[in-house]
């Protein structure tokens, strides 16, 4: 589950990571009041969306298509972006008014952008140096990986491409925890020396504790800054936490922002379905995550691409199957649907009834290939055959994939 910058910073501060004080605001008046309470000489007003590159973004309402294309490429926004400095409460209010309710396009949002509903009004600082630092799980070593670069503030992908030697890695064994030695290695790699290096040990250890303690799957501090006063501060923060661990963090679960998620994914989770929207043309309804992956693979192998991942689970009810079908057909990119069921606990006749119920409700505008195998497969096939629906039957996955790809590409 992704978090907003202001939420992530508040959580990390609880682990002792140094951040700057600030408040979230959803109206320009609230932003003004927040700036007044902060009482800082400089405040920064930052659009809160689940995407980075805000500083170099543009607002759809303010600029023409050429400028939006520049925003999507990450070209400098010259004061028009989603991160603005304000030297008074008046300016903070104006900056918030210039962002709230508008649609921000950045390198990470795609051209459609994201609506800004909240801004973070936070104390500014005097930046001496900007660094890049991220924390993630390295699946090949099963260790917590700190990836950093002394060349911060810029796009890490660019650094990785143009100057890969500028990126360093420090791995931490979670059974041992982060040692002072490892923390110092990070600090040294960033070019810190003397007292600043010594002080940085506490910062990196706190970051590690936060990453572990919150069950993060990704944590990115870009930039991590060294101020002119010699302090290390997390100036920006992107955090993604493991959705499967949310039961351990009810307070974090409450921070979920449904506005930032795909409407269809929310609807799917309400019905207990695992659904992830993708950008292909073949909608998939499958039982079991492994079979769903195999189905996506074979579609790709046959030269088309899946419109979604969907696992209806082992013991889905007819109503869930109907919901799944509704969700798939809502996507305008879907040019064909492949139902691939291997009945075990799941009974094929339940799937057949669900498909018929859903088609009666939402109609069927695209070719539908159904492969049923296992428990009650014959009954399921019979139900579909007698339904009068234009279902294309298939007897195995290979044939099913051939048929749906042919149907979609012929269309
Ligand atoms: P992003 O564009 O979404 O990654 O947002 P960031 O929080 O990283 O902000 C973008 C840039 O704005 C940073 O790299 C900084 O250069 C600048 N910035 C953010 N906060 C401050 C601040 O307090 N003082 C100054 N001088 N610059 C800031
Ligand atoms: Mn950033």
């Amino acid at each position: 589950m992704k978090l907003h910058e202001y939420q992530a910073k508040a959580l990390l501060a609880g682990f002792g990571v140094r951040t700057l004080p600030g408040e979230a605001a959803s109206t320009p008046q609230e932003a003004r009041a927040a700036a007044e309470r902060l009482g800082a000489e400089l405040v920064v007003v930052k659009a809160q969306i689940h995407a980075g590159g805000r500083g170099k973004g543009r607002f759809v309402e303010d600029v023409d298509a050429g400028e939006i294309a520049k925003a999507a490429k990450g070209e400098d926004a010259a004061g028009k972006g989603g991160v603005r400095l304000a030297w008074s409460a008046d300016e903070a209010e104006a900056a918030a008014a210039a962002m709230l309710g508008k649609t921000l396009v950045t390198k990470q949002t795609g051209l459609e952008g994201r609506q800004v509903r909240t801004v973070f009004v936070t104390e500014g600082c005097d930046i001496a140096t900007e660094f890049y630092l991220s924390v993630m799980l390295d699946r090949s070593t099963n260790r917590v990986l700190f990836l950093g670069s002394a060349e911060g503030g810029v796009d890490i992908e660019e650094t990785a491409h143009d100057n890969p030697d500028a990126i360093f890695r420090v791995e931490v064994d979670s059974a041992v925890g982060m040692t002072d030695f490892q923390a110092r290695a990070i600090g040294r790699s960033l070019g810190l020396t003397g007292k600043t290096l010594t002080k940085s040990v506490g910062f990196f250890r706190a970051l590690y504790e936060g990453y572990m303690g919150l069950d993060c799957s990704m944590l990115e501090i870009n930039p991590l800054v060294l101020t002119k006063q010699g302090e290390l501060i997390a100036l920006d923060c992107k955090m993604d936490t493991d959705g499967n661990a949310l039961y351990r963090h009810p307070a974090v679960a409450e921070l979920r922002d449904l506005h930032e998620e795909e409407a269809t994914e929310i609807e799917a989770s309400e019905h207990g379905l695992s659904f992830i929207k993708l950008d292909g043309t073949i909608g998939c309804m499958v039982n079991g995550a492994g079979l769903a992956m195999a189905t996506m693979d074979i579609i790709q192998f046959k030269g088309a691409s899946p419109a979604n991942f969907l696992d209806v689970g082992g013991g889905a009810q007819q109503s869930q199957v109907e919901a799944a079908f509704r969700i798939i057909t809502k996507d305008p990119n879907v040019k064909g649907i492949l139902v691939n069921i291997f009945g075990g606990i799941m009974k094929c006749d339940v799937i057949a009834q669900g498909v018929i119920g859903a088609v009666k409700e939402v109609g069927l505008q695209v070719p539908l290939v159904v492969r049923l195998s296992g428990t009650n497969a014959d009954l399921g096939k019979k139900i579909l055959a007698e339904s009068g629906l234009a279902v294309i039957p298939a007897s195995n996955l290979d044939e099913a994939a051939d048929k749906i790809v042919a149907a979609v590409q012929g269309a």
Side-chain angles (χ1 to χ4, degrees):
M1 187 188 87
K2 284 185 182 155
L3 292 160
H4 285 298
E5 174 195 2
Y6 77 93
Q7 299 167 329
K9 281 182 174 172
L11 291 169
L12 285 180
F15 287 85
V17 176
R18 177 98 163 90
T19 59
L20 291 171
E23 290 179 32
S26 53
T27 65
Q29 294 71 36
E30 279 175 30
R32 157 184 284 276
E36 279 166 357
R37 274 191 293 272
L38 286 170
E41 194 191 344
L42 167 67
V43 299
V44 185
V45 180
K46 310 178 77 174
Q48 298 295 292
I49 55 171
H50 284 182
R54 297 161 299 168
K56 292 176 177 173
R58 318 270 196 293
F59 290 92
V60 172
E61 291 81 358
D62 295 348
V63 297
D64 61 19
E67 281 291 312
I68 291 298
K70 284 186 194 167
K73 279 190 227 145
E75 285 179 32
D76 214 338
K80 293 201 174 73
V83 177
R84 299 190 193 180
L85 305 185
W87 298 93
S88 65
D90 274 345
E91 284 184 23
E93 181 178 350
M99 296 182 195
L100 287 165
K102 290 192 190 165
T103 311
L104 181 58
V105 173
T106 79
K107 209 177 173 181
Q108 294 180 10
T109 62
L111 286 173
E112 72 275 15
R114 291 280 175 79
Q115 201 189 349
V116 179
R117 294 163 185 274
T118 309
V119 294
F120 186 42
V121 181
T122 177
E123 210 174 284
C125 66
D126 271 338
I127 301 173
T129 322
E130 300 195 4
F131 308 111
Y132 175 93
L133 190 62
S134 60
V135 194
M136 69 202 84
L137 174 68
D138 182 344
R139 289 172 195 277
S140 61
T141 58
N142 292 336
R143 291 190 174 178
V144 178
L145 173 65
F146 280 75
L147 206 76
S149 174
E151 291 180 13
V154 292
D155 240 327
I156 193 68
E157 287 86 358
E158 246 163 62
T159 309
H161 181 265
D162 303 337
N163 190 11
D165 292 342
I167 295 176
F168 66 86
R169 303 162 62 103
V170 173
E171 286 184 357
V172 179
D173 186 337
S174 62
V176 180
M178 181 183 261
T179 62
D180 282 2
F181 173 79
Q182 288 164 330
R184 288 179 73 87
I186 295 171
R188 263 200 312 276
S189 301
L190 292 175
L192 305 179
T193 53
K195 255 199 197 138
T196 315
L197 177 60
T198 306
K199 269 208 313 204
S200 75
V201 168
F203 183 95
F204 301 128
R205 293 190 69 137
L207 204 57
Y208 173 80
E209 294 304 328
Y211 175 88
M212 295 300 287
L214 295 163
D215 285 310
C216 291
S217 52
M218 200 277 304
L219 185 55
E220 184 184 66
I221 312 293
N222 186 25
L224 163 68
V225 301
L226 184 63
T227 65
K228 292 187 176 142
Q229 294 75 35
E231 279 208 86
L232 268 186
I233 296 172
L235 207 62
D236 189 9
C237 181
K238 271 177 91 175
M239 184 187 281
D240 206 346
T241 68
D242 184 346
N244 294 312
L246 277 177
Y247 72 97
R248 299 205 284 212
H249 311 283
V252 175
E254 283 192 11
L255 301 177
R256 182 170 174 192
D257 183 352
L258 293 176
H259 295 298
E260 291 282 340
E261 297 181 22
E262 277 286 339
T264 46
E265 289 182 12
I266 298 165
E267 188 182 346
S269 72
E270 281 166 1
H271 288 97
L273 303 164
S274 306
F275 174 89
I276 295 165
K277 189 179 161 359
L278 303 167
D279 48 19
T281 57
I282 297 180
C284 307
M285 181 155 89
V286 190
N287 65 321
L291 191 59
M293 302 286 271
T295 306
M296 298 192 322
D297 280 350
I298 199 164
I299 288 171
Q300 200 86 40
F301 182 72
K302 302 279 185 188
S305 50
N308 64 277
F309 168 94
L310 197 161
D311 170 12
V312 292
Q317 308 292 313
Q318 186 177 330
S319 65
Q320 284 174 290
V321 176
E322 288 178 8
F325 208 84
R326 265 201 314 273
I327 290 165
I328 291 173
T329 50
K330 252 185 212 169
D331 179 351
N333 292 335
V334 168
K335 300 287 180 276
I337 300 171
L338 173 55
V339 175
N340 180 26
I341 301 296
F342 189 88
I345 299 168
M346 183 84 222
K347 295 190 186 69
C348 292
D349 57 310
V350 172
I351 291 284
Q353 297 288 12
V355 168
I356 292 169
V359 169
K360 280 195 182 133
E361 192 191 319
V362 300
L364 183 61
Q365 259 60 274
V366 296
L368 168 65
V369 173
V370 179
R371 178 251 178 162
L372 299 175
S373 179
T375 310
N376 293 358
D378 290 340
L379 180 56
K381 286 176 192 168
K382 186 162 169 272
I383 290 169
L384 285 173
E386 288 170 358
S387 69
L389 297 180
V391 174
I392 306 167
S395 47
N396 59 53
L397 178 51
D398 193 61
E399 185 192 319
D402 279 335
K403 284 184 168 170
I404 192 63
V405 172
V408 166
Q409 289 177 346

